[in-house]
Amino acid sequence: MSRDYPLEKVRNFGIVAHVDAGKTTTSERILYYTGESHKIGEVHDGNTVTDWMEQERERGITITAAAITCFWNPSYMGADTTHKHRFNVIDTPGHIDFTSEVKRSMRVLDGAVVVFDGVAGVEPQSETNWRYAEEAEVPRICYINKLDRTGASYEKSYASILDRLSTKACRLQIPIGAEGDFSGVVDLLNMKAYRFEGEMGKQVVAYDIPAEMMEDAKKYRAELIERIVENDEKLMNDYLEGKDIPLDILKANLRKAVIKNEIFPVLTGSSLKNKGVQLVLDAVVDYLPSPLDLPSAVGTNADTGAEEVRTASDDEPFSALVFKLQVDPFVGSLAFFRVYSGKFEVGQTVYNSANNKKERVGRIVRLQADKREDVKIVYAGEIAAMVGMKEVKIGNTLCDADHPVILESIIFPEPVVSMRIEPKTKADQEKMGIALGRLSDEDPTFRIKSDPETLETIISGMGELHLDIIVDRMRREFSVEATTGKPQVAYRETITGTADVEYKHIKQTGGRGQYGHVKIRMKPMEPVVEGEKIKNNVDREDHFEFINNIKGGVIPAEYITPIKKGLKEAMDRGVLAGFPVVDVSVDLYDGSYHDVDSSEIAFKLAAINAFQDAARLAKPALLEPIMKLEVVTPEKFLGDVTGSINSKRGLVESMGERGQAKVVVAKVPLSELFGYTTQLRSLTEGRAVPNLEFSHYAVVPRNVADEVIASRK
């Protein structure tokens, strides 16, 4: 069985933006214009396709990334319509608490449409999403939305992209009119004006550029062409000689530049008023890459560790990356995956190279947000979901057992907010464990642990809203009623000095005893230098480094791993207040053993005690999460806002302007920010808007640390 569409006509792209910039509204228009839905859903009516969860429709925000598949023929004349282009689109959340959804989506996407609010321009989460796209080297198209709104300004929004995101952005369109007079767009390459007529703006009508706009259009077209030809010497010479460069050559070179991240074309429109979305889809076809345009996926052989390359071809061995898990109330567990090479049929067995497990796949579905369409086979470049997989985790590689490969996984940020949770009844207690387990499988930034002293269950996430949604989902999807404590800060502990410790674990109980003897040196872990070669005796992980300097077998090799395990276990509970310990380097340099009494458990216990003794001597310190706080406020409240930040141990880093408003950027400890939104609203008559994003961990001041430590005891 062969595919019914060519791979060069596949586009895997995401729609990303700050919260409330119009991502979901744009996604709904894409579904409507591509014929996948016959009625446009609206966020304000709570009837959108991609925001299908009850919580999303109630709150008017996107919580979970939704995947949709649709087909598109370009709307311009002369387009090749032999095969429609297949779009696999992911509508991602914009709220910072659900930022991991964007990060994981970027890992499997080939391109992105970045949506901006025409009034606000670049906003905090726009910068975070842009950074994720930079890290993943994802080509981008910019779309300035909401130009029909009062206060909207294409030029100011465009300037904010150049100033805060990238100087590689370049106008591909300019708007006709603004605010209430916004009526269409001018395409600078085609030098045509477009308006959108008929039901829901379905008809794209081309006409001559209005005379009053012609001068601007010519000026901006010259800028665009200069950017396109600057990387091609022949084209540059032709342009400088005044030759007319054909449109198809300009488009082809612009496409190359976009795929190499050398140009980010800027388009414009109003999704809500049905203006401009079809031209965004045309730009996706013309400028964003197909799987064939991108470098091959690189992984490692699961057996030998050698580098393996997987080309986007149906004839290669099958390989796919799982990027999302979801519990569906109708079909059960879904494992979303992106196919990088090969093809896979229902009924075949897939090999999970992360855990060496094989599973037979009985059902594969193509995704339409919350609706499912069964498919018999998936090909390279597709995004789909397997139903009922039991042993799969996010970031696992699924592949052909005869050609095992491990593709690069997905790294997620650490949670910063914790709270206590307990079931209301005994019946809820039994169901709560299952519910929490399922939800943590779905969301790698949601963690569960048990406090060893109080035996309470502690849940951790990216913010208060994140944990609120988790508790709400437990109630609705799993029928678990639970009560929660106040949100708590996820503190960490570290060391600021060095220590040299010897510990002997000796226990005699009449029979065979226990004997483990270790000598360790502890110091703060130094930052990893890019490109640095790691020595053979150094085992480096996130926030922990283990150095094995045992010579001459003074501790037998079989006891080294238990010692490392003991050290790692001791890091789970610090010596100051019982918080996890981070960024520690431990050098095991000496010790001794007993022929009869030494055992793995004896050396593990010796390592745990040695670590605790060393941590007490190495100047332990408490760390707290510091947040980047951005507040957009009317100028008359600027003094009140900066005063409130200073009162919260905050440090104002910069003050700027956004339209008529002032923007304050500060670094503030998370512990001071619970309930800050309510306080800010009362200070500013509800007119200031805060945005929070995790920045880094920093040492807690002594007086605050003493209070935290006392409260833990």
XYZ file of all heavy atoms in Angstrom, residues 103-147:
357
model
N 6.933 23.410 24.185
C 8.290 22.872 24.058
C 8.273 21.487 23.400
O 9.057 21.203 22.507
C 8.946 22.801 25.435
C 10.395 22.371 25.368
C 11.223 22.968 26.471
C 12.689 22.737 26.209
N 13.559 23.492 27.048
N 7.348 20.632 23.862
C 7.315 19.280 23.296
C 6.831 19.306 21.845
O 7.274 18.513 21.022
C 6.453 18.359 24.156
C 4.978 18.564 24.035
C 4.190 17.469 24.711
N 3.760 17.858 26.038
C 3.018 17.088 26.807
N 2.647 15.916 26.402
N 2.645 17.472 28.001
N 5.910 20.243 21.527
C 5.414 20.344 20.150
C 6.520 20.798 19.206
O 6.629 20.303 18.081
C 4.231 21.312 20.082
O 3.162 20.861 20.901
N 7.352 21.755 19.655
C 8.448 22.254 18.824
C 9.403 21.128 18.422
O 10.009 21.166 17.351
C 9.238 23.336 19.563
C 8.532 24.672 19.659
S 8.297 25.437 18.054
C 7.471 26.942 18.566
N 9.527 20.135 19.297
C 10.459 19.038 19.032
C 10.042 18.236 17.793
O 10.891 17.671 17.102
C 10.533 18.144 20.279
C 11.335 16.866 20.142
C 12.816 17.133 19.923
N 13.540 15.898 19.765
C 13.571 15.197 18.636
N 12.934 15.630 17.576
N 14.261 14.082 18.539
N 8.743 18.177 17.490
C 8.285 17.312 16.397
C 7.752 18.093 15.200
O 7.330 17.500 14.219
C 7.205 16.323 16.890
C 7.777 15.389 17.932
C 5.980 17.038 17.421
N 7.754 19.434 15.272
C 7.224 20.240 14.178
C 8.328 20.644 13.204
O 9.490 20.760 13.574
C 6.546 21.501 14.731
C 5.270 21.255 15.541
C 4.794 22.544 16.181
C 4.181 20.665 14.665
N 7.935 20.866 11.955
C 8.893 21.318 10.944
C 8.850 22.828 10.769
O 9.769 23.422 10.194
C 8.593 20.656 9.598
C 8.680 19.139 9.673
O 9.434 18.642 10.539
O 8.001 18.456 8.893
N 7.769 23.467 11.218
C 7.635 24.911 11.066
C 6.621 25.449 12.054
O 5.951 24.684 12.752
N 6.503 26.776 12.130
C 5.555 27.380 13.065
C 5.002 28.678 12.481
O 5.714 29.411 11.786
C 6.228 27.667 14.407
N 3.722 28.918 12.765
C 3.111 30.217 12.500
C 2.994 30.902 13.861
O 2.279 30.424 14.738
C 1.722 30.071 11.850
C 1.055 31.441 11.702
C 1.833 29.380 10.490
N 3.744 31.989 14.047
C 3.758 32.691 15.330
C 2.776 33.857 15.236
O 2.938 34.746 14.405
C 5.173 33.204 15.680
C 5.203 33.757 17.096
C 6.199 32.084 15.536
N 1.738 33.811 16.081
C 0.656 34.798 16.016
C 0.910 35.901 17.044
O 1.268 35.617 18.190
C -0.706 34.120 16.283
C -1.850 35.124 16.126
C -0.917 32.939 15.337
N 0.706 37.145 16.626
C 0.883 38.297 17.514
C -0.402 39.106 17.554
O -1.109 39.223 16.548
C 2.028 39.202 17.025
C 3.352 38.508 16.927
C 3.758 37.909 15.746
C 4.192 38.429 18.028
C 4.973 37.257 15.649
C 5.410 37.776 17.952
C 5.802 37.185 16.765
N -0.692 39.674 18.718
C -1.817 40.592 18.874
C -1.415 41.937 18.260
O -0.394 42.515 18.627
C -2.124 40.748 20.369
C -3.339 41.625 20.635
O -3.554 42.589 19.890
O -4.062 41.345 21.607
N -2.232 42.445 17.309
C -1.902 43.691 16.618
C -1.844 44.905 17.517
O -1.268 45.928 17.158
N -2.444 44.806 18.723
C -2.386 45.916 19.682
C -1.141 45.796 20.558
O -0.388 46.745 20.739
C -3.653 45.950 20.572
C -3.553 47.071 21.600
C -4.900 46.119 19.717
N -0.908 44.601 21.102
C 0.177 44.405 22.083
C 1.524 44.109 21.431
O 2.568 44.327 22.040
C -0.191 43.282 23.047
N 1.516 43.568 20.196
C 2.783 43.192 19.566
C 3.413 42.002 20.279
O 2.726 41.068 20.675
N 4.723 42.042 20.469
C 5.438 40.947 21.145
C 5.134 41.004 22.646
O 5.301 42.047 23.278
C 6.953 41.043 20.904
C 7.700 40.001 21.725
C 7.260 40.873 19.426
N 4.679 39.869 23.208
C 4.363 39.770 24.629
C 5.287 38.725 25.269
O 6.014 38.017 24.564
C 2.884 39.406 24.801
C 1.953 40.490 24.252
C 0.489 40.091 24.334
O -0.153 40.342 25.368
O -0.010 39.519 23.348
N 5.285 38.613 26.612
C 6.268 37.730 27.270
C 6.287 36.295 26.748
O 7.348 35.738 26.482
C 5.840 37.780 28.740
C 5.170 39.092 28.893
C 4.491 39.356 27.585
N 5.106 35.685 26.597
C 5.104 34.295 26.149
C 5.495 34.183 24.674
O 5.982 33.147 24.248
C 3.733 33.667 26.417
C 3.695 32.154 26.316
C 4.624 31.461 27.292
O 5.030 32.049 28.288
N 4.986 30.224 27.017
N 5.309 35.274 23.903
C 5.810 35.286 22.512
C 7.322 35.070 22.539
O 7.870 34.319 21.733
C 5.529 36.629 21.823
O 4.236 37.089 22.043
N 8.004 35.739 23.489
C 9.466 35.619 23.586
C 9.872 34.208 23.993
O 10.818 33.630 23.444
C 10.014 36.634 24.594
C 9.834 38.074 24.160
C 10.453 39.053 25.150
O 11.674 39.241 25.089
O 9.710 39.618 25.971
N 9.142 33.622 24.954
C 9.461 32.256 25.402
C 9.282 31.270 24.253
O 10.141 30.421 23.991
C 8.548 31.852 26.575
O 8.657 32.836 27.598
C 8.953 30.500 27.136
N 8.142 31.364 23.542
C 7.880 30.460 22.423
C 8.920 30.628 21.326
O 9.362 29.655 20.713
C 6.480 30.716 21.849
C 5.382 30.365 22.826
O 5.582 29.595 23.746
N 4.208 30.947 22.642
N 9.297 31.875 21.070
C 10.323 32.152 20.048
C 11.651 31.498 20.445
O 12.352 30.920 19.612
C 10.492 33.664 19.886
C 11.270 34.056 18.664
C 12.616 34.207 18.564
C 10.731 34.345 17.363
N 12.960 34.581 17.292
C 11.829 34.674 16.530
C 9.451 34.372 16.834
C 11.660 35.014 15.191
C 9.293 34.715 15.497
C 10.378 35.024 14.692
N 11.964 31.574 21.751
C 13.207 30.954 22.240
C 13.166 29.438 22.047
O 14.156 28.827 21.635
C 13.411 31.306 23.711
C 14.795 30.922 24.238
C 15.046 31.461 25.620
N 14.228 30.831 26.639
C 13.275 31.428 27.334
N 13.013 32.703 27.121
N 12.584 30.777 28.250
N 12.005 28.815 22.350
C 11.877 27.367 22.126
C 12.067 27.030 20.649
O 12.706 26.024 20.301
C 10.504 26.870 22.579
C 10.279 26.873 24.076
C 8.989 26.930 24.613
C 11.348 26.813 24.965
C 8.777 26.928 25.986
C 11.142 26.815 26.329
C 9.855 26.875 26.838
O 9.648 26.868 28.193
N 11.501 27.863 19.764
C 11.637 27.627 18.321
C 13.092 27.785 17.884
O 13.584 27.034 17.040
C 10.735 28.587 17.550
N 13.795 28.776 18.471
C 15.227 28.965 18.162
C 16.023 27.730 18.560
O 16.873 27.256 17.813
C 15.774 30.180 18.924
C 15.293 31.520 18.407
C 16.069 32.009 17.195
O 17.259 32.295 17.331
O 15.462 32.060 16.116
N 15.738 27.224 19.781
C 16.462 26.038 20.272
C 16.243 24.853 19.347
O 17.152 24.073 19.091
C 15.997 25.682 21.690
C 16.463 26.668 22.756
C 15.773 26.440 24.096
O 15.009 25.456 24.225
O 15.986 27.248 25.021
N 15.006 24.698 18.849
C 14.676 23.560 17.985
C 14.961 23.860 16.511
O 14.761 22.993 15.658
C 13.201 23.191 18.162
N 15.439 25.097 16.212
C 15.747 25.537 14.843
C 14.555 25.353 13.908
O 14.670 24.840 12.790
C 16.983 24.805 14.300
C 18.241 25.107 15.107
C 19.480 24.412 14.563
O 19.344 23.538 13.693
O 20.582 24.733 15.022
N 13.380 25.768 14.382
C 12.144 25.628 13.615
C 11.915 26.876 12.763
O 11.881 27.984 13.296
C 10.937 25.418 14.572
C 9.622 25.474 13.824
C 11.071 24.103 15.313
N 11.767 26.743 11.445
C 11.453 27.901 10.595
C 10.098 28.506 10.978
O 9.177 27.784 11.363
C 11.400 27.302 9.183
C 12.209 26.047 9.270
C 11.988 25.522 10.651
N 9.988 29.838 10.865
C 8.779 30.518 11.345
C 8.223 31.522 10.340
O 8.975 32.153 9.603
C 9.108 31.301 12.631
C 9.079 30.520 13.890
C 10.175 30.963 14.855
N 11.445 30.365 14.500
C 12.607 30.733 14.988
N 12.671 31.713 15.836
N 13.723 30.120 14.610
N 6.897 31.647 10.353
C 6.187 32.732 9.676
C 5.517 33.548 10.772
O 4.932 32.982 11.692
C 5.120 32.173 8.709
C 5.777 31.550 7.485
C 4.128 33.247 8.294
C 4.801 30.813 6.591
N 5.593 34.866 10.706
C 4.928 35.732 11.694
C 3.589 36.203 11.133
O 3.503 36.573 9.950
C 5.802 36.943 12.017
S 7.427 36.514 12.665
N 2.577 36.208 11.982
C 1.240 36.640 11.565
C 0.713 37.639 12.594
O 0.425 37.273 13.731
C 0.321 35.419 11.463
C -1.146 35.731 11.233
C -1.563 36.538 10.176
C -2.120 35.196 12.079
C -2.909 36.808 9.973
C -3.466 35.462 11.877
C -3.861 36.267 10.821
O -5.185 36.538 10.619
N 0.646 38.925 12.196
C 0.133 39.960 13.101
C -1.385 39.985 12.965
O -1.929 40.387 11.930
C 0.758 41.331 12.782
C 2.286 41.266 12.996
C 0.148 42.422 13.661
C 3.034 42.516 12.577
N -2.060 39.519 13.994
C -3.508 39.297 13.998
C -4.219 40.502 14.649
O -3.578 41.404 15.189
C -3.769 38.004 14.782
C -5.211 37.565 14.740
O -5.955 37.909 13.828
N -5.627 36.808 15.740
N -5.519 40.478 14.609
C -6.379 41.437 15.335
C -6.166 42.882 14.892
O -6.256 43.806 15.699
C -6.159 41.329 16.858
C -6.506 39.952 17.426
C -6.535 39.982 18.934
C -6.976 38.641 19.514
N -7.143 38.649 20.952
N -5.876 43.082 13.596
C -5.664 44.453 13.123
C -6.958 45.260 13.084
O -6.934 46.463 12.859
C -5.008 44.448 11.738
C -3.485 44.398 11.721
C -2.946 44.885 10.403
C -2.850 45.214 12.838
